[in-house]
Amino acid sequence: MTYQYQAISADGEKINGTLDAVDEYAAVAQLRAMYTIVLNVKPQKEKGGILSKEIGTRKIDQKALSVMCSQFSIILQSGVPIDTCMSLVSKQVKDKGLRRMLEKSAEDVSKGNSIATSFKKNCPHLPPTFIETIKAGEESGTIENSFATLQRYYDKSFKTKQKIKQALAYPSFVLSVAVVVLIIVMTTVVPSIATTFLDLGGDMPLITKLLIKMSDFFRENILWICVVLIAIVMLFRIYIKTEVGKRSWSTFYLKLPIIGNIGILNTCSQIANTMAALLNAGLSVSRALEITGRVLDNYMIGKEISQMTERIEQGKRLGECMRACKFLPDALVEMCTIGEETGELERTLDTIGSYYDNEAQHATEKAIQKMEPATLMLMAGFAGFIVCAIYLPMFYMYELI
């Protein structure tokens, strides 16, 4: 921690300053070695305000973590001390948050603090997988292997997510354009056409009247519609942060027809890849399960995975514990059982992770292939509705003429 102090030097001069120390006792010990009298020592308060807050520090880019771990692994294998390695890597990392974390961690490690503790202290938003893997490597004396394991893990995770994002890019773009066009048509185009029809007089067909009513509703209540939508989104976000909301939403999500299957496949990929990385770093099965449960995207499956820790510590087999989880597919359970029985659990999990990465990607692409024609049909139906509503009054007018 950083402490502010007031002290008196040997010359009788009053000095104010700051210093870093593990705790207040260590700070006082450092000051007594430098000054005759120590007047005051207190923790330094962080500066508040919007300008002092960092934007986007909560989410750490997995690609940046992968590159950083690769650099650590290579430099450490050449025999460079860890604090020097941190300083070297900090000059190469492009992410500003990681750079500051490495610079501060290098100072802490040079003072005798552990690597994992320094990382956790200076960057509390680092994933538990990262911290625990580094801690295990530090305790076993294979820290360079831990960084190599993390590099493979985050690189694989990043590439999988990128493939899914690329697959979702086109339908997301089409839906966004459709919504924007709908808003423009209903608030600007239709009102002007409706005014023209009303000026010409005559009875309009039902479909045209319906379109005009819809347009008037959107135009008069667009502000309230936006407010209600924003309120619904905010209330939903607040609800899913509660314990009941997390359980309800995660369970509901897994039971959805197509999206639920994709969610299960992604969760299985996370379980296999995360456990493989942790076991390769030297963690026990129970500890690996506990950490894996904390990093899963789905809350319900994460809770069930974490609860397996007690059963494993009681002497039960991993396969037996996984069978109690109702959302895990039989293929994952059976493969983990075989890997445990043959003593090749780490390698089996790595293979399962690759399998479910591909399955999740294929399921996502298949769902998008089904969604694209449905989206086009919906847009075509709406466009046809507008065209009919606009042209039918014209035909009526021509008959009257």
Side-chain angles (χ1 to χ4, degrees):
M1 293 182 62
T2 302
Y3 292 90
Q4 291 179 331
Y5 68 85
Q6 290 181 341
I8 298 177
S9 66
D11 300 332
E13 183 182 357
K14 189 175 182 180
I15 298 173
N16 296 321
T18 60
L19 83 162
D20 293 332
V22 176
D23 53 32
E24 191 171 344
Y25 296 102
V28 172
Q30 291 183 40
L31 291 170
R32 284 178 176 172
M34 295 186 292
Y35 304 109
T36 307
I37 301 174
V38 179
L39 299 175
N40 187 22
V41 177
K42 61 181 180 180
Q44 186 179 30
K45 295 182 179 180
E46 295 183 0
K47 294 181 179 179
I50 297 175
L51 296 177
S52 64
K53 293 183 178 179
E54 296 179 4
I55 299 174
T57 54
R58 288 188 174 272
K59 193 172 183 180
I60 299 176
D61 185 29
Q62 289 186 332
K63 183 63 176 177
L65 275 176
S66 173
V67 173
M68 184 189 76
C69 291
S70 176
Q71 292 170 339
F72 265 105
S73 176
I74 294 170
I75 296 174
L76 287 173
Q77 286 176 4
S78 63
V80 177
I82 184 63
D83 54 341
T84 306
C85 181
M86 287 181 179
S87 300
L88 292 172
V89 174
S90 66
K91 296 175 183 178
Q92 305 296 325
V93 172
K94 295 181 180 180
D95 188 281
K96 293 181 179 179
L98 288 177
R99 186 185 304 138
R100 281 191 291 270
M101 181 270 290
L102 289 172
E103 290 171 352
K104 293 179 180 178
S105 297
E107 295 178 7
D108 290 345
V109 171
S110 64
K111 295 176 182 177
N113 293 323
S114 71
I115 304 168
T117 303
S118 301
F119 279 154
K120 188 175 182 179
K121 168 193 168 186
N122 296 305
C123 191
H125 306 304
L126 281 170
T129 309
F130 181 90
I131 298 296
E132 294 297 333
T133 304
I134 295 301
K135 184 177 180 181
E138 191 175 12
E139 291 174 354
S140 62
T142 57
I143 188 68
E144 63 277 1
N145 294 336
S146 295
F147 277 113
T149 300
L150 287 171
Q151 185 272 327
R152 292 191 297 270
Y153 170 72
Y154 286 117
D155 184 63
K156 187 177 182 180
S157 179
F158 173 77
K159 288 179 179 178
T160 302
K161 289 184 177 180
Q162 285 298 110
K163 289 178 181 178
I164 295 174
K165 286 181 180 179
Q166 289 172 3
L168 291 172
Y170 176 73
S172 300
F173 173 76
V174 171
L175 287 174
S176 301
V177 171
V179 170
V180 172
V181 170
L182 172 63
I183 293 172
I184 294 173
V185 168
M186 297 300 288
T187 56
T188 59
V189 177
V190 174
S192 61
I193 296 174
T195 303
T196 303
F197 288 155
L198 292 173
D199 292 341
L200 292 174
D203 191 22
M204 289 180 291
L206 179 62
I207 189 173
T208 306
K209 293 179 180 179
L210 180 61
L211 180 64
I212 293 173
K213 291 289 185 183
M214 291 170 60
S215 174
D216 291 340
F217 176 79
F218 271 94
R219 188 164 47 86
E220 293 171 2
N221 300 286
I222 186 66
L223 182 61
W224 285 108
I225 292 172
C226 293
V227 171
V228 170
L229 289 175
I230 293 171
I232 291 172
V233 172
M234 291 180 65
L235 290 173
F236 176 73
R237 291 176 67 89
I238 293 171
Y239 173 71
I240 62 175
K241 288 182 179 179
T242 63
E243 181 68 20
V244 177
K246 288 178 182 177
R247 290 179 177 273
S248 301
W249 171 245
S250 59
T251 304
F252 172 76
Y253 182 84
L254 292 174
K255 291 181 179 180
L256 291 174
I258 298 174
I259 300 175
N261 180 49
I262 296 173
I264 290 173
L265 293 174
N266 282 323
T267 304
C268 290
S269 171
Q270 278 187 297
I271 293 171
N273 290 323
T274 305
M275 283 198 65
L278 294 171
L279 292 174
N280 282 322
L283 272 72
S284 63
V285 175
S286 60
R287 184 63 177 152
L289 284 170
E290 179 188 348
I291 298 165
T292 301
R294 284 193 280 147
V295 301
L296 292 183
D297 292 335
N298 189 275
Y299 182 77
M300 275 302 298
I301 296 181
K303 290 289 287 184
E304 291 185 340
I305 293 294
S306 297
Q307 289 170 0
M308 293 180 192
T309 303
E310 294 183 9
R311 301 174 211 160
I312 293 292
E313 291 175 349
Q314 291 171 1
K316 294 184 179 180
R317 308 284 289 179
L318 177 61
E320 181 184 353
C321 296
M322 294 183 76
R323 285 191 184 93
C325 182
K326 58 182 179 180
F327 293 109
L328 295 181
D330 293 336
L332 176 65
V333 176
E334 294 302 326
M335 289 295 289
C336 289
T337 303
I338 293 170
E340 186 180 25
E341 291 175 353
T342 58
E344 296 288 339
L345 184 58
E346 296 91 335
R347 187 180 297 178
T348 304
L349 286 169
D350 195 47
T351 304
I352 298 171
S354 300
Y355 167 76
Y356 278 110
D357 287 341
N358 294 329
E359 287 295 307
Q361 183 184 351
H362 292 156
T364 304
E365 292 174 353
K366 190 175 180 180
I368 291 170
Q369 288 174 0
K370 293 180 179 179
M371 186 174 66
E372 286 177 358
T375 305
L376 292 175
M377 289 176 63
L378 181 64
M379 293 174 63
F382 181 75
F385 173 78
I386 293 177
V387 170
C388 292
I390 292 174
Y391 276 94
L392 281 177
M394 294 183 182
F395 296 146
Y396 279 113
M397 290 175 189
Y398 285 134
E399 290 177 1
L400 291 173
I401 293 174

